[in-house]
Amino acid sequence: MSETNSPSPMRILYIEDNPLIAFHVEQMIEDLGHVFAGSLDSFAELQKQFASLEMDGALVDIDLADGATGPQAAAWLQERGIPAIFVTGQRQVAAEHGDVSLGTITKPVSSSELAAKLELFR
Amino acid sequence: MNTIEDKSLPALDQVLILAPYRKDADYLGRLLAEHEINVRAGARIDDLARMLHPSPGVLVATHEALTPDALATVAAHLETQPSWAEMPIVVLLDRASRPDQVRAELGRVWPRARLLFYQRPVTAVELVSGVQSALLVRLRQRDVRDHIAQEVELRRELNHRVKNILASVTSIFEMTRRGATSIDAFADDFRGRLGALDKVHSAVFHSEGDTVSIAEIAELTFDPYRLSGMDRIVANGPPVTLSREAGTTLALCLHELTTNAIKYGALSHPDGRVQFAWNLSQDETPELAISWKESGGPDVEEPSRAGYGTRYVRSALAGMFGQKPVIAFEADGLRCEARGVFSRVAGNQ
């Protein structure tokens, strides 16, 4: 498994409504030596759970269980000092909301792209 | 069936009257209104384009209204109409006119209209029934329009689902590959997981409401093993219906637990048993609890590193219920329990 030689592990939240993708990315995050802070399936759930979560950054899908609320979730996190990166197949939509994210990871997620993009949270 | 309730789509149930003589317009308006026809009178030719904008159901025009300007305005409107539309236009011809000539002319300038001609004097009964049947034609067109809109929506939804399924399959593929020790083991595991996904998909599809019951999930997961002589899995609980997403997650978890039990757990031993149970609390906000308990199998030892199945079950149940499940490697067999607010996983009834 590829381990990063990063100075310290980061806590990563994942907002994604497909549990299989969430699980897959969770495994990759842990294999990279980071800490998985949990997965949430909607913007509503993020607002509900936020107070009880600790994270250094969030990965955010565009289409969530409560609609195309990913950009809203990213903006909401930005207001609270948490940086976000979109994880999506919809690069164009992600680009339109570039002001609320540090970048975009393309689906299906590869471990190498994930490793590189997570460093943007530092 | 669902109807499309899009406020931006015109109802197409209104009759627009185009009659330059005030008296004609008033008479026609009154006559149609008396027969409970939704009528909009007093369209002036210089204002016609605006009046046509929210597409009328039927246009009623007197002969005098058919000026070159009016013909061109109506033609321009018809030109912009979608392919399902064929606006009925009722034309009240003058007594002295030659209907064949007018018919030919209008058929040429308004090719996409459904023309009805009456020569004055026309009886009220005749005119009203003509307008009514024109409105019926128009409402049939509206049905076609709504079906088309619904189909577009269904296609969009279908595309979303297909992409989602492919993303799920990709994730299953990647995860199975990572844990595989040989190509044959990979093939078996991958086939089994896709099979579980396929079966729960079919169950949700046949339930029509995008839901699936826990009993059904249990049956479709355990049945193949029962057929091969393993009737040692007991499943029981009250009728509980889950959403498509929660049902899919539970089906995949049960698949992992079952195959794990066959390979290493209770079902690898002739006397081993599995009890799968679920329950719904009777509180104000009901909680769903599920439990999987193996017994009578080989001695259990907690593996040094959790395999794909265990990690998946832990993560998936945590996501499904919003809180972590308990997975305990107890001496007499594996125990897995999860609970959470039912509304989070419930199928809409």
Side-chain angles (χ1 to χ4, degrees):
Chain A
M1 285 296 111
S2 61
E3 295 284 334
T4 52
N5 44 12
S6 50
S8 60
M10 290 182 284
R11 294 160 301 181
I12 310 296
L13 180 77
Y14 189 18
I15 310 176
E16 159 70 59
D17 68 339
N18 182 319
L20 278 162
I21 299 176
F23 174 59
H24 181 204
V25 171
E26 172 183 346
Q27 299 305 305
M28 284 194 281
I29 286 173
E30 288 179 350
D31 284 345
L32 289 168
H34 298 299
V35 176
F36 192 67
S39 68
L40 303 171
D41 67 358
S42 64
F43 179 35
E45 204 59 28
L46 169 68
Q47 289 163 292
K48 220 186 284 176
Q49 310 266 343
F50 183 74
S52 64
L53 295 165
E54 287 185 359
M55 72 202 94
D56 299 303
L59 302 175
V60 184
D61 184 16
I62 300 280
D63 278 322
L64 299 172
D66 51 0
T69 54
Q72 273 169 272
W76 192 85
L77 284 167
Q78 190 181 52
E79 286 167 21
R80 283 152 187 81
I82 305 292
I85 292 176
F86 289 126
V87 180
T88 179
Q90 306 178 54
R91 293 201 67 91
Q92 198 161 347
V93 184
E96 286 164 20
H97 297 279
D99 54 328
V100 294
S101 82
L102 299 180
T104 301
I105 295 170
T106 313
K107 277 183 179 174
V109 182
S110 75
S111 187
S112 55
E113 190 186 7
L114 181 68
K117 293 279 168 69
L118 287 180
E119 293 304 311
L120 296 172
F121 285 144
R122 293 194 189 276
Chain B
M1 197 173 70
N2 296 329
T3 51
I4 304 286
E5 285 185 31
D6 188 338
K7 297 278 186 288
S8 68
L9 295 176
L12 301 181
D13 61 353
Q14 196 173 49
V15 176
L16 180 65
I17 295 174
L18 184 62
Y21 296 132
R22 180 72 185 268
K23 230 173 69 184
D24 288 348
D26 286 351
Y27 168 73
L28 288 168
R30 227 174 17 247
L31 175 67
L32 298 180
E34 272 167 17
H35 290 82
E36 283 166 12
I37 292 170
N38 179 0
V39 64
R40 196 167 176 214
R44 297 192 319 272
I45 288 165
D46 57 355
D47 198 25
L48 186 56
R50 194 182 61 80
M51 300 286 276
L52 285 170
H53 183 65
S55 292
V58 174
L59 177 66
V60 176
T62 59
H63 202 150
E64 312 78 58
L66 306 176
T67 64
D69 268 1
L71 294 185
T73 305
V74 172
H77 172 74
L78 293 172
E79 196 61 37
T80 66
Q81 294 303 292
S83 57
W84 52 261
E86 204 178 47
M87 182 164 73
I89 302 181
V90 177
V91 181
L92 301 176
L93 297 173
D94 278 349
R95 187 193 306 251
S97 63
R98 292 186 48 197
D100 290 353
Q101 227 168 23
V102 182
R103 188 187 289 267
E105 166 72 359
L106 292 184
R108 193 177 58 75
V109 294
W110 293 342
R112 292 180 54 197
R114 176 180 284 257
L115 298 169
L116 277 96
F117 294 95
Y118 292 97
Q119 197 151 19
R120 286 187 286 208
V122 55
T123 65
V125 160
E126 221 179 339
L127 182 63
V128 167
S129 70
V131 169
Q132 274 166 339
S133 73
L135 273 170
L136 278 177
V137 166
R138 193 63 157 158
L139 293 183
R140 296 305 302 169
Q141 294 177 14
R142 189 179 70 179
D143 288 347
V144 171
R145 174 195 72 184
D146 291 349
H147 276 107
I148 292 171
Q150 201 163 30
E151 195 180 294
V152 168
E153 185 51 42
L154 281 173
R155 282 171 52 86
R156 188 175 299 133
E157 176 64 21
L158 183 64
N159 178 48
H160 187 73
R161 296 241 181 133
V162 168
K163 278 190 123 81
N164 208 24
I165 292 261
L166 286 175
S168 297
V169 171
T170 304
S171 292
I172 291 176
F173 169 78
E174 292 291 347
M175 295 308 303
T176 306
R177 189 177 65 133
R178 288 154 65 93
T181 48
S182 73
I183 188 78
D184 284 344
F186 166 80
D188 280 352
D189 290 351
F190 190 52
R191 191 184 298 118
R193 284 164 187 156
L194 287 192
L197 197 61
D198 175 42
K199 279 186 282 188
V200 71
H201 169 82
S202 298
V204 170
F205 177 77
H206 289 297
S207 82
E208 289 183 1
D210 238 17
T211 61
V212 61
S213 74
I214 297 184
E216 238 177 313
I217 295 169
E219 197 174 296
L220 63 87
T221 306
F222 305 142
D223 247 21
Y225 305 111
R226 291 203 172 110
L227 286 176
S228 56
M230 283 213 224
D231 52 356
R232 291 174 287 140
I233 310 176
V234 178
N236 56 51
V240 172
T241 307
L242 300 178
S243 68
R244 175 165 52 92
E245 294 81 3
T248 304
T249 297
L250 183 62
L252 292 174
C253 287
L254 286 184
H255 170 77
E256 293 304 326
L257 289 167
T258 307
T259 51
N260 185 71
I262 290 169
K263 280 187 197 162
Y264 316 107
L267 300 180
S268 70
H269 195 279
D271 298 328
R273 296 192 165 274
V274 172
Q275 167 88 24
F276 172 59
W278 63 96
N279 204 2
L280 208 52
S281 73
Q282 301 297 317
D283 311 336
E284 205 170 303
T285 47
E287 250 199 1
L288 175 65
I290 61 168
S291 96
W292 170 277
K293 178 71 186 112
E294 299 178 23
S295 60
D299 288 348
V300 172
E301 268 177 63
E302 177 149 11
S304 52
R305 188 175 186 275
Y308 168 97
T310 314
R311 282 181 293 144
Y312 174 72
V313 168
R314 187 173 283 138
S315 161
L317 291 179
M320 176 175 163
F321 286 107
Q323 51 192 324
K324 287 185 179 158
V326 173
I327 299 180
F329 296 87
E330 296 178 338
D332 61 334
L334 179 81
R335 178 169 63 94
C336 171
E337 288 173 354
R339 60 173 57 239
V341 181
F342 178 55
S343 59
R344 192 184 165 93
V345 296
N348 291 327
Q349 293 287 8

